[in-house]
């Protein structure tokens, strides 16, 4: 029996959230393909988590207030909330999802990456806590030159 | 792919850069007329001793040659252990880089 099938059987009997996070290396593009097609941040969050009810605390985001190059905007984000999933979105590109971190037991949820921003906009980071609640942080920035024209 | 992993005070800090054009659908359409030519990294994962320490699903909106930094617990690992980082892109290409934790 392969892992996906196993999870399928398991998931149908018990809620998926019971599976220890350390077991998995889940590709969210295959698990939740619609997340990556969503045009708005709210839709993407709903597709990924099944809810958009969020508590606005516990998520830190650090980014420049003005980015000279939209092709590579440095974003730092972290949380101390025990998390199951951390996802980052923006509203400056045709679709909004950027990355979804599947947090295992080793992961310290302190990340930094570089993203493309087609224009000025807002970065949204959503943390799905082990308590099942969603926590959100938002931060806006100005982009001097867009990154999507390439 | 360039990967650096450093263990300090029980925490492994990783810096990595994947060499990839990260072509978005719009860029592909503009250059080739077909958005299906888009190609970008869709998934990355890192392991130490077969344990998954980082797992990221990604979209076209990472920068070209995307850079990642992250930290994971290092209590069970020591310097000299092998950290293995793998990415897969939309066309199914994959690359793995193994480095020793410093």
């Amino acid at each position: 029996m392969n892992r996906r099938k196993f999870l399928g059987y398991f998931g149908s009997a018990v809620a998926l959230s019971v599976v220890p996070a350390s077991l998995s290396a889940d590709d969210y593009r295959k698990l939740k393909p619609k997340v990556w097609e969503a045009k708005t941040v709210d839709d993407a969050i709903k597709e990924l988590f099944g809810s958009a009810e969020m508590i606005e605390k516990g998520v830190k985001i650090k980014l420049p207030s003005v980015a000279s190059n939209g092709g590579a905007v440095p974003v730092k984000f972290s949380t101390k909330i025990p998390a199951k999933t951390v996802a980052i979105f923006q509203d400056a590109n045709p679709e909004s999802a950027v990355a979804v971190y599947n947090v295992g037991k080793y992961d310290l949820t302190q990340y930094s990456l570089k993203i493309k921003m087609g224009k000025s906009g807002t970065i949204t980071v959503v943390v799905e806590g082990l308590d099942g609640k969603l926590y959100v942080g938002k931060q806006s920035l100005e982009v001097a030159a867009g990154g999507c024209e390439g | 792919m360039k990967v650096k992993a450093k263990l300090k005070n029980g925490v492994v800090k990783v810096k990595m850069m994947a060499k990839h054009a990260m072509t978005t659908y719009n860029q592909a359409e503009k250059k080739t007329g077909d958005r299906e030519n888009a190609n970008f990294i869709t998934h990355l994962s890192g392991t130490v001793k077969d344990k998954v320490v980082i797992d990221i699903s990604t979209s076209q909106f990472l920068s070209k040659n995307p850079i990642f930094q992250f930290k994971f617990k290092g209590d069970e690992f020591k310097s000299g252990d092998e950290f293995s980082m793998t990415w897969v892109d939309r066309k199914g290409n994959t690359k793995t880089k193994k480095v020793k934790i410093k």
Side-chain angles (χ1 to χ4, degrees):
Chain A
M1 197 190 303
N2 66 28
R3 194 179 151 273
R4 178 138 308 184
K5 263 189 185 156
F6 170 75
L7 274 187
Y9 291 132
F10 198 69
S12 55
V14 193
L16 255 177
S17 58
V18 185
V19 179
S22 58
L23 256 186
S24 45
D26 285 331
D27 187 342
Y28 277 93
R29 295 194 69 98
K30 285 178 191 143
L31 283 176
K32 305 261 174 98
K34 280 190 178 159
V35 172
W36 311 91
E37 293 160 14
K39 306 267 187 246
T40 67
V41 175
D42 282 349
D43 284 352
I45 291 170
K46 271 181 212 156
E47 287 293 346
L48 184 58
F49 298 111
S51 157
E53 232 176 84
M54 297 175 285
I55 306 163
E56 216 167 320
K57 69 165 196 192
V59 184
K60 257 194 205 166
I61 307 175
K62 219 174 143 185
L63 69 173
S65 52
V66 180
S68 54
N69 173 13
V73 179
V75 184
K76 266 188 173 174
F77 51 108
S78 65
T79 184
K80 288 190 172 151
I81 299 164
K84 198 175 145 229
T85 318
V86 177
I88 172 165
F89 307 95
Q90 45 60 42
D91 61 1
N93 296 331
E95 291 91 28
S96 46
V98 177
V100 178
Y101 291 73
N102 177 32
V103 180
K105 69 169 183 170
Y106 296 99
D107 199 326
L108 291 168
T109 58
Q110 295 176 44
Y111 311 116
S112 144
L113 45 71
K114 290 199 175 182
I115 70 173
K116 288 189 194 109
M117 292 284 279
K119 56 182 196 299
S120 301
T122 304
I123 306 274
T124 304
V125 174
V126 180
V127 173
E128 183 187 18
L130 289 176
D131 57 8
K133 290 179 183 145
L134 299 180
Y135 300 87
V136 66
K138 289 178 192 179
Q139 193 91 45
S140 300
L141 84 160
E142 300 226 356
V143 173
C148 267
E149 301 310 318
Chain B
M1 180 161 39
K2 281 184 187 161
V3 184
K4 275 184 190 169
K6 207 171 182 182
L7 176 67
K8 201 180 171 189
N9 301 327
V11 172
V12 181
K13 195 175 170 186
V14 178
K15 271 189 192 178
M16 62 158 291
M17 189 194 81
K19 256 205 157 159
H20 202 287
M22 298 299 282
T23 317
T24 66
Y25 291 112
N26 283 359
Q27 285 167 343
E29 187 158 19
K30 218 171 169 181
K31 278 184 189 157
T32 67
D34 185 1
R35 47 189 279 124
E36 283 310 310
N37 283 328
N39 194 17
F40 47 86
I41 292 174
T42 56
H43 193 254
L44 301 112
S45 62
T47 55
V48 183
K49 294 180 176 171
D50 293 331
K51 286 172 178 143
V52 177
V53 292
I54 185 80
D55 184 57
I56 321 170
S57 304
T58 56
S59 82
Q60 50 180 326
F61 302 123
L62 293 172
S63 68
K64 184 181 169 189
N65 298 334
I67 293 173
F68 297 84
Q69 286 183 43
F70 50 86
K71 292 176 184 173
F72 62 88
K73 284 178 207 159
D75 322 341
E76 295 177 27
F77 313 125
K78 56 183 191 307
S79 53
D81 283 351
E82 200 173 64
F83 172 70
S84 169
M85 194 77 212
T86 301
W87 58 252
V88 182
D89 71 15
R90 188 170 172 267
K91 303 279 187 206
N93 304 313
T94 177
K95 214 159 223 163
T96 299
K97 172 100 181 180
K98 291 177 179 173
V99 294
K100 288 211 161 74
I101 296 174
K102 271 190 184 151

